[in-house]
Amino acid sequence: MPSSYNIGPRYEGLVRELVESGRYASASEVVRDSLRLLEQREEIRALELEKLKREYAEGKASGEPEEVDPARFLQELKAERAARG
C-alpha cells in the first residue's frame, strides 16, 4: 500500500540529490535506508535506557551513600591515573 509524506523542501532536495548522484536508485530507497538508521538509533537508545535503569537499581540496592572527603577523593583519582601511566 503506497504512502505519501510531506518531508518539506529541505529533505526533498536532499533525497533528490542522493538519487541524482547515483548513490540511491530511488526516493523510496533513501527513505527505507533512513528508516533503518532511525530504527537502529531507537534500538540503541532502548538498550542504553535498560542499562541505565539496571545500574540505577544496582546503586539503590547497594545501600546508603557514604560521606566522601572531596580532597581525598581527588587525590585517589590522581593516584589511579598516575598508576595507569
Side-chain angles (χ1 to χ4, degrees):
M1 174 172 130
S3 299
S4 175
Y5 299 95
N6 181 359
I7 58 175
R10 175 182 174 192
Y11 293 117
E12 284 287 347
L14 177 60
V15 169
R16 191 172 25 264
E17 286 176 26
L18 291 168
V19 172
E20 288 173 359
S21 75
R23 185 167 174 193
Y24 292 91
S26 68
S28 293
E29 266 188 33
V30 175
V31 172
R32 279 192 298 273
D33 197 30
S34 300
L35 288 171
R36 276 191 292 274
L37 290 171
L38 177 61
E39 184 177 46
Q40 288 174 354
R41 187 175 74 189
E42 291 302 314
E43 288 172 3
I44 290 168
R45 283 184 181 177
L47 291 171
E48 288 173 342
L49 183 58
E50 284 178 30
K51 180 181 178 187
L52 183 60
K53 287 178 178 180
R54 191 172 50 253
E55 289 176 352
Y56 176 79
E58 289 172 8
K60 291 285 284 182
S62 70
E64 291 296 316
E66 298 176 12
E67 195 68 34
V68 175
D69 175 19
R72 183 174 172 206
F73 180 71
L74 186 57
Q75 284 178 329
E76 290 172 2
L77 285 177
K78 287 179 180 179
E80 285 178 22
R81 187 170 71 182
R84 284 184 278 175

